[in-house]
């Protein structure tokens, strides 16, 4: 259970559902957001990633209906009650946060699963637009609920693929499988070492606190969207690189192949390829260091990852760069942007006792630069999606 809500909070969610929909929900499910420790944009290149589920979650209270009607409501925002028909779902037919639960229902239907109408109340404390995968948290909570309530019997790997289909085809975001895998397969005190080619997972110990460290998340408040052109163009560059190099995916290109690749690719495509190839190598090194030496020894790999994303993949922004540079200058042992890029959050692995210095320095630096004040908080590795009631 990622962060067990106290009984009054769960009771309040039940009560609100009943007041809106007229009876109690069939249950409540939750799924966490995620932080990617290292391994950015490697997932759709069939490479390696090392995310972990965090102690911030999306919760959904759901009740199955005896007709084809869907009613959706979020506890935040101003969209109000949204209605749809389970028989009329199609890509492009939904807007706002409802794209995610409706996309999941559509993707299950595409797998031949009979999904009835349902009522759903969603409550989430995963920051929006921060690169912590708030959308996948919603999707994973919803697919966990519908999997249970329909008796579909899908395992974690199939739920990962179904939510990816929802993202790619219903929402229109060309994402890989990392976020769903972390949210569905996470474990307390561990990072999820995922091979995106075969979905194999190894849980790697990552207990920063035990190592005398905390992991700070610095939400720059620069919102991003995976459905925008920046993310899609990076993916297209990777596909072009793989095609020119004659490989199935950039996973098949090694460090030793880069010199030859530089002569075959245009300069921009080569830099995109170099990021993926070196990032895969950094993931493998990070896993090895976590297992043999512990979290205190991964800082330089985090730093190198950020430089690669800033210069080769070009997905950083001034706010992210300032957060990383300031964190490192005030005591963090390693820092990088995390998530899809073009905004969102940075992470800073920081010795216990120095976190306040890092926080204060980053806030001052943002104010001096005229940026919106960041939101800074700690996260710890938590368990994956689960049923609460």
């Amino acid at each position: 259970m990622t962060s067990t809500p106290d009984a009054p909070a769960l009771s309040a969610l039940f009560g609100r559902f009943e007041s809106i929909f007229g009876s109690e929900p069939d249950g409540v499910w939750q799924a966490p957001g995620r932080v990617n420790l290292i391994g950015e944009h490697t997932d759709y290149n069939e490479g390696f990633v090392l995310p972990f589920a965090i102690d911030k979650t999306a919760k959904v209270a759901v009740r199955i209906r005896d007709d084809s009607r869907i009613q959706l409501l979020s506890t935040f925002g101003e969209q109000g009650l949204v209605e749809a028909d389970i028989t009329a779902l199609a890509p492009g037919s939904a807007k706002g946060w409802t794209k995610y639960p409706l996309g999941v229902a559509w993707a299950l239907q595409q797998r031949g699963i009979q999904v009835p109408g349902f009522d759903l109340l969603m409550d989430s404390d995963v920051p929006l637009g921060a690169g912590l995968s708030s959308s996948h948290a919603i999707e994973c909570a919803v697919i966990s609920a519908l999997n249970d309530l329909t008796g579909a019997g899908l395992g974690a790997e199939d739920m990962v693929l179904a939510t990816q289909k929802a993202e790619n085809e219903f929402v229109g975001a060309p994402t890989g499988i990392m976020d769903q895998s972390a949210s569905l397969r996470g474990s307390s005190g561990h990072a999820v070492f995922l091979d995106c080619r075969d979905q194999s997972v190894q849980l790697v110990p990552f207990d920063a606190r035990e190592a005398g460290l905390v992991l700070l998340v610095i939400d720059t408040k620069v919102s991003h969207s995976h459905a925008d052109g920046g993310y899609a163009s990076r993916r297209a560059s990777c596909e072009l690189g793989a095609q020119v190099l004659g490989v199935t995916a950039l996973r098949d290109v090694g460090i030793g192949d880069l010199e030859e690749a530089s002569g075959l690719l245009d300069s921009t495509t080569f830099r995109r390829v170099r990021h993926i190839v070196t990032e895969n190598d950094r993931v493998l090194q990070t896993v090895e260091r976590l297992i043999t030496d512990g979290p205190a020894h991964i800082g330089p790999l985090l730093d190198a990852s950020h430089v690669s994303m800033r210069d080769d993949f070009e997905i950083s922004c001034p706010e992210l760069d300032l957060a990383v540079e300031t964190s490192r200058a005030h005591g963090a042992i390693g820092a990088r942007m995390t998530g899809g890029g073009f905004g969102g959050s940075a992470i800073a692995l920081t010795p216990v006792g120095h976190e306040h210095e890092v926080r204060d320095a980053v806030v001052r630096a943002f104010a001096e630069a005229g940026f919106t004040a960041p939101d800074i908080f700690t996260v710890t590795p938590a368990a994956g999606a689960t049923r609460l009631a």
Side-chain angles (χ1 to χ4, degrees):
M1 199 173 287
T2 50
S3 57
T4 306
D6 57 21
L10 195 55
S11 178
L13 191 60
F14 264 77
R16 184 161 184 180
F17 185 98
E18 186 172 9
S19 69
I20 295 164
F21 298 114
S23 64
E24 286 192 348
D26 293 327
V28 176
W29 291 257
Q30 74 172 15
R34 66 96 187 95
V35 158
N36 191 21
L37 189 60
I38 196 164
E40 225 63 76
H41 288 261
T42 48
D43 59 345
Y44 56 78
N45 289 287
E46 299 186 13
F48 304 105
V49 292
L50 191 64
F52 61 87
I54 61 174
D55 48 346
K56 293 183 179 295
T57 64
K59 299 176 181 64
V60 293
V62 182
R63 182 188 63 189
I64 292 296
R65 299 176 58 91
D66 58 6
D67 56 23
S68 63
R69 188 179 179 191
I70 302 172
Q71 296 187 113
L72 307 169
L73 184 67
S74 169
T75 60
F76 61 91
E78 300 177 356
Q79 192 164 352
L81 187 69
V82 176
E83 297 189 3
D85 192 292
I86 196 71
T87 64
L89 298 181
S93 64
K95 297 180 180 179
W97 74 272
T98 65
K99 292 181 295 188
Y100 306 112
L102 294 177
V104 167
W106 173 84
L108 289 175
Q109 289 180 317
Q110 297 299 299
R111 295 178 71 95
I113 296 168
Q114 295 295 109
V115 182
F118 57 91
D119 298 326
L120 181 148
L121 176 63
M122 194 272 291
D123 181 59
S124 177
D125 63 359
V126 183
L128 299 177
L132 303 182
S133 200
S134 57
S135 60
H136 288 97
I138 296 170
E139 290 171 347
C140 291
V142 172
I143 200 166
S144 297
L146 295 180
N147 188 46
D148 285 353
L149 293 173
T150 63
L154 299 181
E157 292 182 8
D158 285 330
M159 288 195 285
V160 164
L161 295 176
T163 52
Q164 184 192 24
K165 186 179 182 70
E167 278 280 322
N168 292 174
E169 299 181 27
F170 192 90
V171 177
T175 55
I177 64 170
M178 175 182 69
D179 297 342
Q180 304 96 318
S181 296
S183 188
L184 288 164
R185 305 175 76 176
S187 176
S188 179
H190 293 79
V192 178
F193 175 38
L194 172 67
D195 182 332
C196 296
R197 172 158 284 171
D198 63 10
Q199 281 206 66
S200 61
V201 160
Q202 177 185 352
L203 296 176
V204 177
F206 179 63
D207 190 336
R209 181 68 65 170
E210 187 179 10
L213 302 164
V214 295
L215 191 73
L216 292 174
V217 174
I218 304 164
D219 178 2
T220 66
K221 298 299 184 180
V222 178
S223 187
H224 71 152
S225 171
H226 279 171
D228 69 10
Y231 190 101
S233 70
R234 296 309 183 278
R235 182 161 186 167
S237 289
C238 293
E239 292 169 352
L240 174 61
Q243 180 181 4
V244 172
L245 296 175
V247 294
T248 301
L250 293 182
R251 152 73 171 273
D252 300 312
V253 182
I255 297 289
D257 300 319
L258 287 175
E259 183 176 356
E260 180 182 359
S262 68
L264 298 172
L265 302 168
D266 66 84
S267 60
T268 298
T269 304
F270 173 69
R271 286 186 287 110
R272 306 297 188 246
V273 168
R274 182 168 61 187
H275 165 71
I276 299 302
V277 173
T278 57
E279 187 80 344
N280 273 324
D281 185 65
R282 283 186 288 270
V283 174
L284 297 177
Q285 289 189 58
T286 300
V287 169
E288 183 179 357
R289 292 188 190 185
L290 285 174
I291 291 172
T292 59
D293 302 314
H297 296 267
I298 67 171
L301 293 166
L302 302 183
D303 294 340
S305 175
H306 185 78
V307 171
S308 181
M309 289 185 288
R310 182 191 67 200
D311 299 343
D312 277 355
F313 222 60
E314 295 182 282
I315 55 174
S316 190
C317 66
E319 291 85 350
L320 286 168
D321 292 340
L322 183 60
V324 167
E325 293 159 8
T326 305
S327 298
R328 290 293 283 116
H330 289 83
I333 67 168
R336 65 184 286 272
M337 60 149 284
T338 187
F342 312 103
S345 296
I347 56 174
L349 192 58
T350 305
V352 171
H354 288 268
E355 64 265 36
H356 297 297
E357 179 182 349
V358 171
R359 288 174 190 261
D360 293 344
V362 171
V363 169
R364 286 196 307 271
F366 270 53
E368 291 168 1
F371 297 154
T372 300
D375 188 15
I376 305 175
F377 51 91
T378 62
V379 292
T380 57
T386 189
R387 183 172 186 165
L388 297 174

